[in-house]
Amino acid sequence: MQSPTVRRIVGPTILLASGNYFDFLAPEESTFTIEDIATGLSNVCRFAGQCSRFYSVAQHSVIVSHHVPPAFAFAGLMHDAAEAFIGDVTKPLKDILPDYRALEERVERAVLGRFGLPHKMPPEVKEIDVVMLATEQKQLMRNRDDWNYTRGRQALDIPIPPMGPREAKAMFLAQFADLTTTLATAPAETEKPETGEAGR
């Protein structure tokens, strides 16, 4: 009879930095840490690596979290968290891989849900994500083609400094710690008392 450990690593699983295994067929049951996410995102390069220099998903995520309204900063930081396990597959490739889309959605639900976030990102996060794409194209790509996805968006006037995986991971974890501390200490909203017809 197989041991639980052997059975757990047979099939579509990957070994994480923490020593845990991530099971693509059961992401909801997988054990993973924020360090696993930071490690993965800091080592994954945006644009399938086809940019002028290394630019990690972790660095991108931190920048997004800084440019959304403060209420959405944590969602902005974590919006690509699933890519720590499934990689940063380019949008054109995703569009012709329906099976991948289904897997991506399931992993996203599991990962974001673990941190109390909805699977569907707020419009504020989605918008800055697209604005960042325009910003990254301007600074990190060779051409200035008019991409349909970013049409009408103005690139942010911010620098994107060179940053290696180790620094990006540290920055991601620091932002996570800062935002989760802020969330934990924020006063809870008080429930408003019911009013009469005029107040409805």
Side-chain angles (χ1 to χ4, degrees):
M1 184 175 179
Q2 284 185 331
S3 73
T5 302
V6 172
R7 186 172 67 252
R8 196 158 49 90
I9 64 175
V10 172
T13 62
I14 57 171
L15 177 62
L16 305 180
S18 61
N20 295 308
Y21 285 89
F22 189 90
D23 188 343
F24 290 109
L25 294 182
E28 306 85 359
E29 301 170 18
S30 298
T31 299
F32 54 87
T33 67
I34 190 60
E35 286 79 9
D36 290 325
I37 292 173
T39 298
L41 296 184
S42 64
N43 283 303
V44 172
C45 188
R46 296 258 297 164
F47 303 104
Q50 300 298 318
C51 38
S52 60
R53 54 178 166 79
F54 180 79
Y55 175 59
S56 71
V57 178
Q59 185 178 3
H60 161 82
S61 299
V62 172
I63 296 173
V64 168
S65 76
H66 284 153
H67 288 87
V68 293
F72 303 103
F74 186 60
L77 180 71
M78 300 297 290
H79 77 282
D80 281 336
E83 293 182 7
F85 310 120
I86 59 177
D88 182 23
V89 176
T90 59
K91 188 177 186 302
L93 183 55
K94 287 181 187 179
D95 289 343
I96 60 173
L97 296 175
D99 289 344
Y100 176 86
R101 282 285 193 189
L103 173 64
E104 178 186 43
E105 181 172 346
R106 184 173 180 185
V107 172
E108 283 179 344
R109 285 184 183 276
V111 174
L112 293 174
R114 192 72 58 88
F115 294 92
L117 290 167
H119 167 238
K120 298 295 184 183
M121 280 287 124
E124 292 84 353
V125 173
K126 290 184 177 181
E127 178 61 24
I128 290 299
D129 197 27
V130 176
V131 170
M132 275 305 302
L133 183 60
T135 306
E136 292 156 358
Q137 181 196 21
K138 182 178 180 181
Q139 296 192 38
L140 301 172
M141 308 302 285
R142 183 176 293 276
N143 64 45
R144 300 293 179 269
D145 291 339
D146 185 18
W147 292 348
N148 288 335
Y149 193 56
T150 58
R151 187 163 294 149
R153 267 61 170 218
Q154 184 68 36
L156 296 175
D157 185 19
I158 60 169
I160 300 179
M163 185 175 296
R166 182 176 296 184
E167 186 180 357
K169 176 181 176 179
M171 183 171 69
F172 183 94
L173 288 173
Q175 181 73 343
F176 178 88
D178 182 56
L179 291 174
T180 51
T181 299
T182 300
L183 289 172
T185 57
E189 289 188 11
T190 55
E191 192 172 341
K192 294 182 179 179
E194 292 185 6
T195 61
E197 291 292 335
R200 290 182 185 174

